[in-house]
C-alpha cells in the first residue's frame, strides 16, 4: 500500500473558469515555437536558420558547452523565424507545420544509451535538477529522481493524458537506470496509480501538494552536496515511449481556463503551439485581458502572438483590471471580492465558490513584514522570510543554512500571492539560485 503524505499548509485558490472534461483537437494551429528561456541552466545555441526544413524531433538548439543536449522541433515543416531580442539573445525559434515527418531515434536499454537518447530527443531539457532548478548537467548522476503525476495549481488539468499513460511504467523503468538511488512517483490520494518500479507516495491536501518541491520535502529533502532530478509524469511517459519505440509523442493536452474564456475546455495540441490560434473565437472580451501561458501563480504573461511555454499544460485568461472602478476601493464590502484574511464578507458565502480574479496586485510595494503569513501556505520546514532576506543580502552562508538547496521559484508562488508587501518573491529566489550557482561553480 502506498504511503500517504498529508499537506496541511497551503491554499486552493477558488478561481472561476475551470475547464470542462471534453477534449477538442487543435486543427487550426500551424505555427509552433520553442523558447530557450523556458529551459534554464545551459547556454543555448541555435543550430537552424529561417527557411531550414526540419522534422518533428530535429534539433533547433544545442547547449553551447557540451553540444550533447538539444531542444527539438515539436512539428515537421519550415523554420519560420529565429527571433532575437536585446544583445541578440534568442527569444524563440518558430516552425511552420507542413507535414507529419518524424525523426527516428534508437531504442535504448542501458544507462548510456538512455542518456544519449533522452539528450538528443529534447526530453532531457524537460527535467530539472535541484539544487538550482535548472536542466540537469549531462554528466551528473542523481541521488534520487522524483516524478509528480498531478498538478494542484489553480485550474490545472491532469498531467497525464490517456495517450501517454501506457508508457509511464516504461519511463519509470528507464529513469531507474539513470540513478543509483530510488525513483519516487508522487500521486494524488485515491488516484489508483501504481508502479512496480517506482516507490509510489500519495499526497492529499491543498496546493502546493502537487508541486514536486513539496513532495521532495515530504519524502527526502535535498541536502548540501546532493543532486536530485525532477520531472512530471507526461515527460516520464515520453521517455518510456522513446526508449521502447524510438519515437516521441510531442502532443499535449492543455486546458483553456479563466473567467475570460467563453467555453473553458481541454485541447489536444502540440508542444509550443501559437496562443492566438488556441484562443481565437473563444474569448468573452478582447480588451483589458491578461493572457497567461500556464497557471495564474507561476505562468508567464504573453500576447496573442506568443506561444505556449514549457511545461505546456494550460492557458489562463483573466481580466487585467486596469479599468476597474470600484465603489469605496479597498474598503468595499462587495461579497464577490476574495481575501485570504477574510477582509471582505465573501467568506460568509463560502470561499470554495469560484471568484472572478483580475491581475491587479491591489496594493503598493513595501518592506517585508515578518507576520508569519508565508508560513501558513508554505509547507517546507524552513523559514521563508529569513531565507528571502539572506538572498536579497547575498549572504551565501545564510542561504545555505536556511535551505536554499531545497527550493525553486514555484515553491514561493503562494507566499507571493498572500504577501501583504507585494514583493516578487519568485524573481528573488530565481536570482538567488543563479547567483549561488555562479559563485559555487
Amino acid at each position: 500500500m502506498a504511503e500517504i503524505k498529508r499537506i496541511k499548509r497551503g491554499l486552493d485558490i477558488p478561481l472561476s473558469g475551470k475547464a470542462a472534461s471534453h477534449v477538442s483537437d487543435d486543427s487550426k494551429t500551424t505555427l509552433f515555437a520553442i523558447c530557450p528561456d523556458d529551459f534554464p541552466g545551459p547556454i543555448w545555441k541555435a543550430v537552424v536558420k529561417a527557411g531550414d526544413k526540419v522534422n518533428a524531433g530535429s534539433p533547433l538548439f544545442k547547449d553551447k558547452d557540451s553540444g550533447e543536449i538539444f531542444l527539438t522541433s515539436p512539428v515537421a515543416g519550415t523554420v519560420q523565424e529565429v527571433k532575437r531580442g536585446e544583445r541578440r539573445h534568442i527569444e524563440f525559434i518558430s516552425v511552420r507545420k507542413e507535414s507529419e515527418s518524424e525523426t527516428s531515434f534508437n531504442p535504448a536499454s542501458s544507462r548510456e544509451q538512455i542518456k544519449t537518447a533522452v539528450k538528443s530527443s529534447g526530453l532531457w531539457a524537460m527535467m530539472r535538477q535541484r539544487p538550482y532548478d535548472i536542466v540537469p548537467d549531462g554528466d551528473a548522476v542523481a541521488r534520487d529522481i522524483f516524478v509528480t503525476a498531478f498538478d494542484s495549481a489553480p485550474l490545472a488539468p491532469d498531467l497525464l493524458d490517456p495517450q501517454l499513460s501506457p508508457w509511464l511504467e516504461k519511463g519509470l523503468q528507464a529513469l531507474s537506470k539513470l540513478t543509483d538511488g530510488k525513483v519516487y512517483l508522487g500521486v494524488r490520494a485515491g488516484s489508483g496509480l501504481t508502479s512496480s518500479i517506482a516507490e509510489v507516495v500519495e499526497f492529499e491536501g491543498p496546493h502546493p501538494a502537487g508541486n514536486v518541491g513539496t513532495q521532495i520535502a515530504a519524502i527526502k529533502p535535498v541536502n548540501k552536496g546532493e543532486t536530485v532530478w525532477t520531472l512530471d509524469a507526461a515527460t516520464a511517459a515520453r521517455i518510456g515511449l522513446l526508449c521502447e519505440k524510438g519515437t516521441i509523442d510531442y502532443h499535449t493536452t492543455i486546458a483553456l481556463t479563466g473567467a475570460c474564456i467563453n467555453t473553458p475546455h481541454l485541447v489536444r495540441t502540440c508542444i509550443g503551439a501559437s496562443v492566438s490560434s488556441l484562443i481565437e473565437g473563444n474569448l468573452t472580451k478582447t480588451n483589458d485581458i491578461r493572457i497567461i501561458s500556464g497557471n495564474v501563480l507561476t505562468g508567464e504573461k504573453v500576447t496573442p502572438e506568443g506561444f505556449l511555454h514549457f511545461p505546456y499544460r494550460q492557458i489562463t485568461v483573466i481580466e487585467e483590471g486596469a479599468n476597474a472602478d470600484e465603489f469605496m476601493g479597498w474598503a468595499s464590502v462587495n461579497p464577490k471580492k476574495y481575501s485570504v484574511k477574510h477582509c471582505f464578507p465573501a467568506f460568509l458565502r463560502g470561499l470554495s465558490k469560484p471568484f472572478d480574479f483580475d491581475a491587479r496586485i491591489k496594493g503598493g510595494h513595501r518592506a517585508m513584514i515578518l507576520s508569519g503569513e508565508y508560513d501558513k501556505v508554505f509547507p517546507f520546514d524552513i523559514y521563508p522570510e529569513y531565507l528571502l532576506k539572506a538572498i536579497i543580502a547575498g549572504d551565501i552562508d545564510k542561504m545555505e543554512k536556511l535551505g536554499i538547496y531545497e527550493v525553486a521559484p514555484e515553491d514561493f508562488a503562494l507566499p507571493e500571492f498572500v504577501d501583504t508587501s507585494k514583493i516578487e518573491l519568485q524573481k528573488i529566489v530565481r536570482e538567488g539560485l543563479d547567483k549561488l550557482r555562479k559563485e559555487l561553480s
Side-chain angles (χ1 to χ4, degrees), residues 58-379:
S58 295
L60 298 179
F61 297 90
K62 68 177 180 179
D63 76 296
K64 195 172 181 179
D65 292 334
S66 70
E68 297 178 349
I69 304 174
F70 295 92
L71 299 178
T72 57
S73 174
V75 295
T78 303
V79 175
Q80 186 79 5
E81 181 183 12
V82 180
K83 175 67 174 178
R84 295 183 182 270
E86 295 181 2
R87 302 179 68 180
R88 294 185 55 79
H89 173 73
I90 300 177
E91 296 181 358
F92 62 80
I93 293 180
S94 59
V95 178
R96 180 77 61 182
K97 183 179 180 181
E98 296 170 350
S99 69
E100 299 294 335
S101 302
E102 296 182 357
T103 301
S104 296
F105 299 89
N106 294 324
S109 56
S110 68
R111 174 180 284 190
E112 289 306 314
Q113 287 176 340
I114 293 170
K115 289 182 73 172
T116 300
V118 175
K119 288 177 185 178
S120 59
S121 66
L123 295 177
W124 188 275
M126 295 185 187
M127 297 193 293
R128 291 292 177 269
Q129 166 193 305
R130 295 205 183 191
Y132 310 130
D133 188 43
I134 58 173
V135 174
D137 183 85
D139 297 325
V141 177
R143 183 203 73 187
D144 299 296
I145 298 177
F146 293 83
V147 181
T148 180
F150 73 104
D151 191 347
S152 57
L155 306 180
D158 291 335
L159 281 182
L160 196 59
D161 55 49
Q163 286 84 351
L164 285 172
S165 57
W167 301 103
L168 178 58
E169 189 72 356
K170 291 290 185 181
L172 296 174
Q173 185 176 17
L175 290 170
S176 69
K177 297 179 181 180
L178 298 182
T179 176
D180 297 328
K182 291 184 178 181
V183 177
Y184 294 94
L185 179 63
V187 304
R188 194 188 301 273
S191 69
L193 270 178
T194 60
S195 173
S196 60
I197 304 296
E199 184 171 319
V200 179
V201 182
E202 295 187 354
F203 287 84
E204 62 177 28
H207 183 63
N211 280 9
V212 70
T214 301
Q215 297 174 13
I216 294 172
I219 298 171
K220 193 176 180 181
V222 182
N223 298 311
K224 184 178 180 180
E226 296 177 339
T227 298
V228 302
W229 296 348
T230 71
L231 65 158
D232 59 38
T235 302
R238 290 188 180 100
I239 291 174
L241 177 61
L242 171 69
C243 293
E244 189 71 12
K245 298 291 186 180
T247 61
I248 308 176
D249 187 351
Y250 290 99
H251 289 88
T252 183
T253 300
I254 69 158
L256 296 180
T257 61
C260 292
I261 292 290
N262 193 28
T263 53
H265 64 285
L266 304 177
V267 179
R268 180 81 172 160
T269 185
C270 275
I271 286 170
S274 169
V275 170
S276 60
S277 59
L278 292 171
I279 64 174
E280 184 181 3
N282 201 22
L283 296 177
T284 59
K285 55 189 299 188
T286 56
N287 60 324
D288 193 36
I289 60 172
R290 176 168 295 191
I291 304 170
I292 303 166
S293 179
N295 64 71
V296 292
L297 293 175
T298 62
E300 183 169 339
K301 179 182 176 181
V302 296
T303 65
E305 293 72 36
F307 298 91
L308 191 61
H309 287 264
F310 180 82
Y312 321 117
R313 294 175 195 152
Q314 186 178 0
I315 290 178
T316 309
V317 186
I318 59 176
E319 291 194 30
E320 190 71 54
N323 300 322
D325 184 15
E326 294 181 327
F327 177 67
M328 297 180 67
W330 63 268
S332 171
V333 292
N334 187 343
K336 295 183 179 181
K337 294 186 69 172
Y338 177 83
S339 172
V340 175
K341 300 178 177 64
H342 295 181
C343 295
F344 304 110
F347 73 92
L348 296 173
R349 72 176 178 95
L351 293 180
S352 61
K353 296 180 180 179
F355 287 76
D356 290 345
F357 285 80
D358 58 37
R360 290 175 294 162
I361 63 173
K362 298 182 179 179
H365 296 283
R366 57 181 69 86
M368 188 180 296
I369 302 170
L370 296 178
S371 61
E373 60 187 356
Y374 299 167
D375 296 315
K376 296 176 182 178
V377 296
F378 191 73

Side-chain angles (χ1 to χ4, degrees), residues 32 38 50 52-53 90 124 131 203 350 413:
F32 300 81
D38 295 341
D52 286 354
K53 297 289 185 179
I90 300 177
W124 188 275
F203 287 84

